């Protein structure tokens, strides 16, 4: 089958297809929608992308991304400086914020330890986390890392490094989700829930 559009449109489709969740077919639909809605959608999107390119930066304190440095979360006076929530990625930070799950501050590692992928401690912001944990106002480090082998390996590694810091190290509970039915849960989740049972 020959090309149905010029190289400029094909380039747009190819770039959109690189976004997570968009395959070639979805990218084609998105490109067509953008082109049809040039005034209402494509022009504002182009402007927003340019602003993001020019102004978005990584927060030097926590690793969040924002248009200011330190970021909005770090300078929020309502945040509790005694709590640092450690996440692997900015997406995890955003998820916790959407859930309004904490009023603490954050620390973004950038990834989790993964020897198979060549990700070691030097590739993460662990040294900066250890330094922050030694600050007098910090009393708790919450390890909000994925319940995967890499996430748990990272959690254990960080816990060992924080032994001489005067902080409580906690992690997210693992187990039965709110609204979950036992029959639909996998064996790993069920066994974790049984091990981490609490008083009723």
């Amino acid at each position: 089958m020959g090309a149905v559009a010029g190289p400029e449109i094909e380039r747009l489709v190819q770039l959109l297809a690189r976004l997570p969740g968009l395959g070639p077919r979805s990218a084609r639909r998105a490109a067509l929608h953008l082109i049809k809605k040039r005034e209402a959608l494509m022009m504002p999107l182009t402007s927003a992308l340019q602003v993001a390119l020019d102004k978005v930066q990584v927060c030097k304190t926590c690793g969040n991304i924002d248009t200011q440095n330190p970021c909005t979360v770090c300078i929020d006076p309502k945040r509790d400086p005694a709590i640092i929530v450690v996440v692997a990625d900015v997406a995890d930070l955003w998820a916790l914020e959407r859930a309004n799950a904490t009023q603490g501050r954050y620390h973004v590692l950038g990834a989790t330890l993964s020897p198979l992928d060549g990700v070691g401690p030097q590739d993460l912001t662990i040294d900066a986390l250890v330094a922050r944990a030694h600050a007098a106002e910090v009393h708790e480090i919450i390890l909000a890392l994925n319940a995967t082998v890499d996430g748990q390996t990272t959690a254990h590694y960080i816990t060992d490094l924080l032994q001489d810091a005067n902080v409580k190290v906690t992690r997210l509970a693992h187990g039965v989700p709110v609204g979950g039915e036992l029959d639909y849960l996998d064996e790993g989740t069920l066994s974790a829930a049984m091990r981490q049972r609490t008083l009723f």
Side-chain angles (χ1 to χ4, degrees), residues 61-139:
T61 306
C62 74
N64 187 18
I65 56 173
D66 203 341
T67 53
Q68 59 185 30
N69 203 342
C71 72
T72 306
V73 176
C74 283
I75 63 171
D76 184 351
K78 296 191 293 293
R79 296 276 170 174
D80 185 354
I83 298 170
I84 295 176
V85 182
V86 180
V87 293
D89 192 73
V90 173
D92 302 326
L93 186 159
W94 287 2
L96 289 168
E97 283 300 288
R98 277 196 311 275
N100 200 21
T102 179
Q103 278 303 303
R105 301 218 169 131
Y106 290 96
H107 188 89
V108 180
L109 295 173
T112 50
L113 295 173
S114 180
L116 290 176
D117 297 321
V119 180
Q122 70 284 352
D123 300 308
L124 309 181
T125 60
I126 293 176
D127 290 345
L129 170 63
V130 172
R132 290 181 73 191
H134 281 82
E137 72 269 16
V138 177
H139 299 305

Side-chain angles (χ1 to χ4, degrees), residues 88 92 112 144-152 174:
D92 302 326
T112 50
L145 300 171
N146 291 332
T148 59
V149 171
D150 289 346
Q152 295 313 293
H174 302 144

